[in-house]
Amino acid sequence: GAVVSQHPSRVICKSGTSVKIECRSLDFQATTMFWYRQFPKKSLMLMATSNEGSKATYEQGVEKDKFLINHASLTLSTLTVTSAHPEDSSFYICSAAGAYNEQFFGPGTRLTVL
Amino acid sequence: AQKVTQAQTEISVVEKEDVTLDCVYETRDTTYYLFWYKQPPSGELVFLIRRNSFDEQNEISGRYSWNFQKSTSSFNFTITASQVVDSAVYFCALSEDDYKLSFGAGTTVTVRA
């Protein structure tokens, strides 16, 4: 149980385009999901907390207009990187909070912006 | 301020050696949780352990063991008789009242055959 999927696992796009990443909890409902960003050889940095049915809470320094988060259902949160640029290239990881607020992580999405 | 400090950036050992990864945390909360995750080259985080602040009992799971000491705010992780498959980045993390996870910088463990 407690499986979280992410789609796509890898995406390459041109500068200026928008990219949507999906995070799904497959066998449980998650009112709260989290989005992290990880640069090569670096740690995970929390970008935002996604709450079902309400606006996401962004961490300091994260542009909410740049990284749009939608948590439309109890099993799906999406992160859209708008007008992507090469500096947005990174590994994006989502997690879903379980019944005891433990976090179950997705496999990650590697974004490369050319 | 950094809430979780993993002072060791990289550790390289030969197979069968023991490896201890240090983790020091900082919090004002009385209730909190500590975690260790493994991130192999594939990138997917693998959950290893969760420990709450009221349970200082050390834990052993196979070749893995954890030493939690509130007096020194440390939650160290030891891999006994390391194997090549243990090569990965290991992260220590802290969760406080808001359940957000604060990750340490990670320690890269390389086990050579």
Side-chain angles (χ1 to χ4, degrees):
Chain A
V3 178
V4 176
S5 70
Q6 273 185 251
H7 178 78
S9 58
R10 188 180 294 267
V11 57
I12 301 173
C13 69
K14 292 182 178 179
S15 189
T17 60
S18 294
V19 175
K20 181 187 283 187
I21 303 170
E22 292 186 349
C23 177
R24 293 182 185 272
S25 55
L26 297 185
D27 49 3
F28 67 104
Q29 295 182 329
T31 55
T32 304
M33 291 185 174
F34 300 90
W35 286 95
Y36 297 84
R37 183 175 183 177
Q38 185 180 30
F39 289 107
K41 298 188 184 296
K42 296 293 185 182
S43 187
L44 282 77
M45 299 300 295
L46 179 65
M47 297 174 66
T49 303
S50 170
N51 299 296
E52 188 268 337
S54 64
K55 290 183 179 180
T57 305
Y58 290 82
E59 295 300 300
Q60 194 172 11
V62 178
E63 300 175 59
K64 57 184 176 183
D65 295 331
K66 173 75 171 174
F67 299 100
L68 300 178
I69 291 172
N70 183 275
H71 195 154
S73 77
L74 289 172
T75 59
L76 173 64
S77 175
T78 60
L79 167 68
T80 301
V81 183
T82 62
S83 187
H85 290 284
E87 57 265 31
D88 298 323
S89 297
S90 191
F91 191 53
Y92 293 88
I93 305 174
C94 75
S95 70
Y100 300 99
N101 284 308
E102 68 276 46
Q103 291 187 32
F104 301 98
F105 286 86
T109 296
R110 194 163 300 282
L111 170 64
T112 303
V113 184
L114 302 176
Chain B
Q2 189 73 11
K3 293 185 179 181
V4 179
T5 301
Q6 293 180 253
Q8 304 145 307
T9 305
E10 295 184 24
I11 299 176
S12 181
V13 297
V14 177
E15 220 171 8
K16 297 184 183 177
E17 286 186 2
D18 297 347
V19 181
T20 294
L21 311 181
D22 298 333
C23 173
V24 174
Y25 62 92
E26 184 179 330
T27 180
R28 292 181 180 178
D29 291 355
T30 53
T31 302
Y32 53 89
Y33 295 89
L34 295 164
F35 301 78
W36 275 97
Y37 289 90
K38 174 182 179 180
Q39 188 177 41
S42 63
E44 185 163 359
L45 281 174
V46 177
F47 167 82
L48 296 178
I49 190 171
R50 170 177 123 146
R51 177 52 54 88
N52 75 57
S53 52
F54 299 106
D55 182 4
E56 283 194 76
Q57 197 168 20
N58 291 331
E59 182 156 341
I60 298 175
S61 176
R63 295 185 296 107
Y64 295 168
S65 62
W66 292 269
N67 182 279
F68 178 26
Q69 293 197 350
K70 287 178 77 169
S71 60
T72 55
S73 297
S74 65
F75 186 44
N76 297 338
F77 171 37
T78 297
I79 304 172
T80 303
S82 61
Q83 300 175 1
V84 173
V85 293
D86 296 326
S87 297
V89 182
Y90 291 85
F91 291 99
C92 180
L94 167 71
S95 176
E96 298 169 289
D97 266 354
D98 57 9
Y99 301 109
K100 295 179 185 178
L101 279 175
S102 297
F103 284 85
T107 299
T108 300
V109 173
T110 303
V111 181
R112 309 185 308 276

